[in-house]
Every structure is written in C-alpha cells, then in structure tokens.
Amino acid sequence: MSYRHLSPVELDALKEIGNIGLGNAVTSLAQLINRRVNMRVPRSSFLPFEEMIELVGGYEELVGCVSLRVLGDAPGIVLFIFDGESTLHLVDMLMGLPVGTTGELDEMAQSAIKEIGNVLTGSFVSAISMMTGLNMVTTVPLFAFDMLGAVLTSLMVAAGRVEDQVLVIETELFHDEETLIKGHFFLLTEPGAIDRLMAALGFSEG
C-alpha cells in the first residue's frame, strides 16, 4: 500500500494533537465520575499495523476494546484498548469500588466502559476536529471483550480499507497510585485521511 513518509515535524504535530485530545478526554472522565483522574503518556508514535499488534501483546491477548467509527473529512476508526486486568480495574474505578472487586464483566460493567469509552474517544476526536478545522463525526461506541485478533478482525471487516500506519498513544490512567489502568489509543485512518489532517495543519504533501 502506498504511504507518504511523514517527517519528524509532521509526526510531532500528530502526537501533539493526540496528547491534547487525551488531556481533554481525561478531564471529561474526571467530571463524569466526580473523581480526580491523572494521566501519563509514556509513548506516542506512528507504527505499522503489525507492530501495533505486538505492542498490545499479540493476537491472543485478552483485551477490552471500545471502538468508534469516525466519519466526515478524515474518516477512520478510533480504538481504546485495555488489557484484561486493566479492563476490570477500570470498572472498579468507574464504580468507586476497591481495586480487585470486579472479577467479570456483567451488562452494567460493559455499559459503564462503553460510556467512558464514548467520553474518552469523543473528546479525543473533538480535539482533533477543533485543531484542524475538519468535520469529524463519531458513531455510537461498540465494546468487545475478547482476544485482540478476534476484535480487530471484526473491526477491519466493518471498516474496509485503512492505512497500514497507525497513530498509537500509550496511556496510563490512575486516580491513586494503586489503580493503574494501562491502555492504548489507536487512530486508524482511511487512505488519504492523514494527508488531509496534515494539510489542515499547514503541511504540504511531499
């Protein structure tokens, strides 16, 4: 698949957009659960699709995944993926429960994660839209708790073609030092969408 090489300056611009989007997302999360939430971003990068898989732990890794389709000027998919343990810890944080209380995901827990995923990814996309001036609309969030391979297979079938490079933002959420929730934000764009993002930020192709 043809793919325009992004310069270091362009990569930094994308990472900065991601960081600002996540900052807005965490603020929204804190307001929703009425508790202080801190965030660290250990790493932000642009990776080939296969390296993205390895980063999460491989195709057989059990994950919780909130996904949103993005429509408009820069279409694609936003994924927020947590490992299995962090998914359960996230439910504890949302419900105000001691860490380790949640052992399985019932309907209420899944609904809570989907709502949080909606807030986080919605704020993330809104920040990108505001900074670029592009029209970006999100669809209703979907939640899956399954092996990463199964989750991505169903999403890729639904999405059709996406670029083979993915914006990856590694995140750590915590409201105290006990509850550390590790996740990854992924922005998978349809061909041409990154070019439009770059053009909106003032970068010319080449």
Side-chain angles (χ1 to χ4, degrees):
M1 183 184 296
S2 63
Y3 188 77
R4 177 162 72 87
H5 177 71
L6 293 173
S7 70
V9 176
E10 289 175 315
L11 285 173
D12 285 343
L14 275 179
K15 292 174 187 177
E16 184 60 22
I17 288 178
N19 289 343
I20 291 171
L22 274 179
N24 289 358
V26 169
T27 299
S28 298
L29 173 59
Q31 291 172 346
L32 187 66
I33 65 174
N34 199 27
R35 302 175 77 176
R36 200 177 92 179
V37 179
N38 297 309
M39 178 190 71
R40 286 189 290 255
V41 180
R43 183 160 82 146
S44 181
S45 52
F46 216 59
L47 296 176
F49 188 81
E50 285 301 319
E51 286 187 33
M52 172 195 118
I53 303 297
E54 292 173 18
L55 188 64
V56 177
Y59 284 102
E60 295 186 0
E61 180 75 15
L62 180 64
V63 298
C65 173
V66 178
S67 61
L68 282 169
R69 292 289 305 278
V70 180
L71 309 175
D73 294 334
I77 310 175
V78 175
L79 310 177
F80 203 6
I81 295 180
F82 311 93
D83 63 35
E85 183 180 51
S86 288
T87 302
L88 299 177
H89 287 175
L90 180 60
V91 175
D92 290 335
M93 186 173 85
L94 300 179
M95 304 290 195
L97 301 171
V99 180
T101 301
T102 302
E104 59 182 3
L105 296 179
D106 57 19
E107 195 170 318
M108 182 180 293
Q110 291 192 35
S111 178
I113 291 178
K114 192 185 296 185
E115 177 58 27
I116 291 305
N118 192 23
V119 169
L120 289 171
T121 48
S123 300
F124 179 73
V125 172
S126 292
I128 297 175
S129 180
M130 284 179 60
M131 289 185 69
T132 60
L134 296 175
N135 177 41
M136 299 173 73
V137 181
T138 56
T139 61
V140 175
L142 301 174
F143 176 71
F145 191 60
D146 204 341
M147 287 191 296
L148 179 62
V151 171
L152 289 178
T153 297
S154 60
L155 287 173
M156 292 303 101
V157 168
R161 287 183 64 211
V162 293
E163 296 276 19
D164 61 354
Q165 299 270 333
V166 182
L167 176 62
V168 178
I169 303 174
E170 196 172 341
T171 63
E172 294 177 350
L173 301 175
F174 55 99
H175 67 83
D176 55 43
E177 290 305 321
E178 281 188 353
T179 315
L180 180 62
I181 297 161
K182 294 185 177 182
H184 293 87
F185 250 102
F186 299 111
L187 175 61
L188 289 74
T189 51
E190 292 184 10
I194 290 295
D195 283 342
R196 286 192 286 278
L197 279 175
M198 290 292 97
L201 291 169
F203 296 97
S204 58
E205 185 170 350

